[in-house]
Amino acid sequence: MDFIDVRTAPFAVGDEYAALRANNRSDGASALFVGSVRDFNAGVGVSGLALEHYPGMTEKSLQRIVSDARTRWELGRVRLLHRVGAMAVEEDIVFVGVTSPHRQAAFAACQYIMDRLKTEAPFWKLESGETGDTWVAARDSDRRELEKWAR
Amino acid sequence: MVKVLFFASLRARLGTAEHCLEDFSGSVAELRNRLGELFPDWQAPLQAADIQAAVNQEIAAATTRITDGDEVAFFPPVTGG
């Protein structure tokens, strides 16, 4: 069972965990990842950011990533939420929650989904801070993280 | 008609989010060239090595064919998460 949501509204991590666990007796493992807005990036103070995306392609991309995760591991529920629009420092941007009968599958799938999302889902961050507005640059390290899943 | 979308820093640099071409068929690389001919200011930002393309919301190669009715997008490397 997949739940994928691209939204402007904040989400509550507790509610998402509750949705992963409700009437779910077969999966003993849940792995969660939450990404939040940092106050510093590339040595510059950040006060907030605006997240742009490509409506239509974003949802397709996220669905494909989750489907691919399911072909690699035995997963129960997957919840993937990503916010777009304006966000302040400390607000949560992205939530990935995965359940499985086994912790290895839950950990790995959670990381896999984030690694793929970082390099292929069409989102872009515009940070506001002490030096004005700056488009965030992609990181080579995110590309390298992806290589461990190439098999 | 081919609808061309631009996102993020590329959209800001070109000053537009969308451009429609009435008569175009060819590859993604040929579309980049055509847009650069139509709008000389767009040539450098569109030809930048890190700019990616999607055709009908799927990541595309320089050789991917575009036909009438397609939606094409150009954008910089993604930075979500």
Side-chain angles (χ1 to χ4, degrees), chain A residues 5-145:
Chain A
D5 193 17
V6 179
R7 54 195 276 156
T8 54
F11 51 81
V13 171
D15 292 349
E16 296 310 315
Y17 177 65
L20 287 169
R21 295 310 320 168
N23 303 310
N24 185 0
R25 295 181 177 183
S26 54
D27 295 336
S30 304
L32 313 181
F33 173 83
V34 182
S36 313
V37 182
R38 287 188 298 169
D39 67 351
F40 239 74
N41 189 24
V44 175
V46 172
S47 56
L49 60 77
L51 243 149
E52 178 173 332
H53 77 125
Y54 181 177
M57 182 171 171
T58 312
E59 293 80 358
K60 282 187 195 176
S61 170
L62 298 179
Q63 186 62 64
R64 176 172 310 124
I65 292 167
V66 171
S67 300
D68 288 350
R70 285 192 179 281
T71 66
R72 287 170 171 253
W73 297 283
E74 181 187 354
L75 303 178
R77 296 181 186 175
V78 178
R79 293 182 76 81
L80 173 51
L81 289 77
H82 201 298
R83 290 180 63 203
V84 294
M87 275 159 264
V89 169
E90 293 184 53
E91 283 188 56
D92 296 334
I93 305 171
V94 59
F95 175 93
V96 183
V98 177
T99 72
S100 170
H102 309 292
R103 72 179 185 285
Q104 291 90 346
F107 274 133
C110 195
Q111 189 171 11
Y112 172 86
I113 289 168
M114 273 311 297
D115 286 349
R116 292 267 312 262
L117 185 155
K118 292 290 279 187
T119 51
E120 65 188 81
F123 293 104
W124 299 274
K125 287 188 188 120
L126 179 65
E127 285 179 342
S128 314
E130 51 198 16
T131 57
D133 291 349
T134 314
W135 290 99
V136 173
R139 292 169 189 273
D140 287 340
S141 58
D142 286 333
R143 277 268 147 235
R144 287 196 297 275
E145 285 300 311

Side-chain angles (χ1 to χ4, degrees), chain B:
Chain B
M1 190 185 77
V2 173
K3 183 164 143 185
V4 189
L5 306 175
F6 309 106
F7 290 95
S9 56
L10 182 64
R11 171 183 52 71
R13 179 110 185 251
L14 303 187
T16 186
E18 187 177 326
H19 183 78
C20 291
L21 279 176
E22 282 305 327
D23 293 302
F24 181 84
S25 70
S27 68
V28 166
E30 286 162 349
L31 177 62
R32 283 192 201 221
N33 293 339
R34 171 74 67 84
L35 290 169
E37 287 161 14
L38 290 170
F39 305 98
D41 290 353
W42 291 11
Q43 194 164 343
L46 272 179
Q47 298 288 351
D50 65 349
I51 294 298
Q52 299 169 349
V55 175
N56 297 327
Q57 306 183 347
E58 304 281 350
I59 289 291
T63 53
T64 302
R65 301 297 296 176
I66 297 162
T67 53
D68 196 49
D70 283 350
E71 177 179 293
V72 183
F74 291 104
F75 45 79
V78 302
T79 56

